Amino acid sequence: SLDKIPSWREENRPNDIEEGKELTGGGGLSDKVSLYKGDITVLEVDVIVNAANSSLLGGGGVDGCIHKAAGSCLYDECHSLNGCETGKAKITCGYDLPAKYVIHTVGPVARGHVGSTETNDLTSCYQNSLRLMEEHDLSTVAFPCISTGIYGFPNEPAADIALNTVKSWIEQNPDKITRVIFCVFLETDFAIYKKNMSVIFPDN
Ligand code: AR6
């Protein structure tokens, strides 16, 4: 469960609580994010985000893993949604997943190119997922590295967008979301996120 995944602050300053440096409300951004390397389908959170395609009918990569783990009822519900545009997001139940819900978002097909369209669309994926999560009163979420696999969005700028978009969202909507897990799958993303999180979510 979530207690097994430390927040970014717990991971980096495990002695804070012993030393009496508990947070007293407000701030605390690094308490609301985590970096986790592994399979997103095992995470016991309110919602996991799927890097889907516009058909919402499944595919390879993380999408394939999520459909496999959730079972065919997920396919049936997705089938009823009439697809999803790039940058938008739609929510379904989690079925056989430990996560209660899945938010399906469609990242840009970048093929190595990062222009304003790709940047805006990837930013929208994170924003629309977070908005949907709040509309459904969900407080814990895990994101994969949207678009960085089959869709070819370069890893560094994708991580920058993911981290900064989530940071701005939490700053502007501080009440509802209690944890955002950045679920990386590859060592290269783990290294990029680790480096960037130290800067973007410095110690409180
Ligand atoms: N858990 C977490 N992350 C994963 C997992 C997993 N089980 N499996 C792969 N990843 P991709 P995209 C990582 O290709 O680039 C599908 O066919 C992976 O290493 O899944 O947005 C869809 O149907 C990478 O870091 O998604 C679309 O057609 C990240 O997830 C298309 O691929 C995203 O890679 C979407 O491509």
Side-chain angles (χ1 to χ4, degrees):
S1 78
L2 204 52
D3 347 314
K4 292 179 216 139
I5 301 176
S7 72
W8 185 244
R9 177 172 175 260
E10 285 164 337
E11 195 171 327
N12 289 283
R13 298 182 65 186
N15 298 326
D16 269 13
I17 285 149
E18 233 171 83
E19 291 167 10
K21 292 180 201 150
E22 276 138 305
L23 291 177
T24 47
L29 279 183
S30 65
D31 269 317
K32 294 197 170 185
V33 293
S34 301
L35 177 57
Y36 173 88
K37 183 168 176 280
D39 183 3
I40 201 167
T41 66
V42 306
L43 297 178
E44 294 171 38
V45 284
D46 290 339
V47 57
I48 62 171
V49 176
N50 182 16
N53 60 60
S54 56
S55 78
L56 296 186
L57 298 179
V62 69
D63 194 9
C65 294
I66 289 172
H67 273 272
K68 188 166 178 225
S72 63
C73 291
L74 179 63
Y75 178 88
D76 295 339
E77 186 175 357
C78 284
H79 196 257
S80 74
L81 296 177
N82 287 314
C84 182
E85 288 168 36
T86 302
K88 300 282 170 59
K90 293 192 177 178
I91 191 166
T92 65
C93 290
Y95 300 100
D96 293 346
L97 291 165
K100 296 185 202 108
Y101 297 90
V102 179
I103 288 175
H104 307 263
T105 189
V106 183
V109 181
R111 293 195 201 91
H113 176 72
V114 185
S116 56
T117 305
E118 291 80 9
T119 299
N120 292 340
D121 284 346
L122 189 59
T123 303
S124 295
C125 286
Y126 286 92
Q127 288 173 337
N128 285 321
S129 298
L130 292 162
R131 180 174 301 121
L132 205 46
M133 179 190 169
E134 295 202 343
E135 281 168 12
H136 289 260
D137 268 319
L138 307 175
S139 53
T140 61
V141 60
F143 280 101
C145 303
I146 301 164
S147 271
T148 62
I150 293 163
Y151 281 178
F153 202 113
N155 302 62
E156 289 263 8
D160 191 65
I161 290 167
L163 293 167
N164 282 302
T165 305
V166 166
K167 181 186 184 178
S168 307
W169 189 278
I170 304 178
E171 279 173 342
Q172 285 158 35
N173 309 266
D175 296 331
K176 286 186 179 170
I177 294 175
T178 58
R179 188 72 68 84
V180 177
I181 297 172
F182 295 100
C183 177
V184 298
F185 202 61
L186 306 174
E187 188 52 42
T188 143
D189 283 316
F190 184 75
I192 292 169
Y193 273 73
K194 202 168 158 57
K195 178 182 58 132
N196 285 303
M197 283 176 75
S198 304
V199 179
I200 295 171
F201 301 104
D203 296 325
N204 299 298

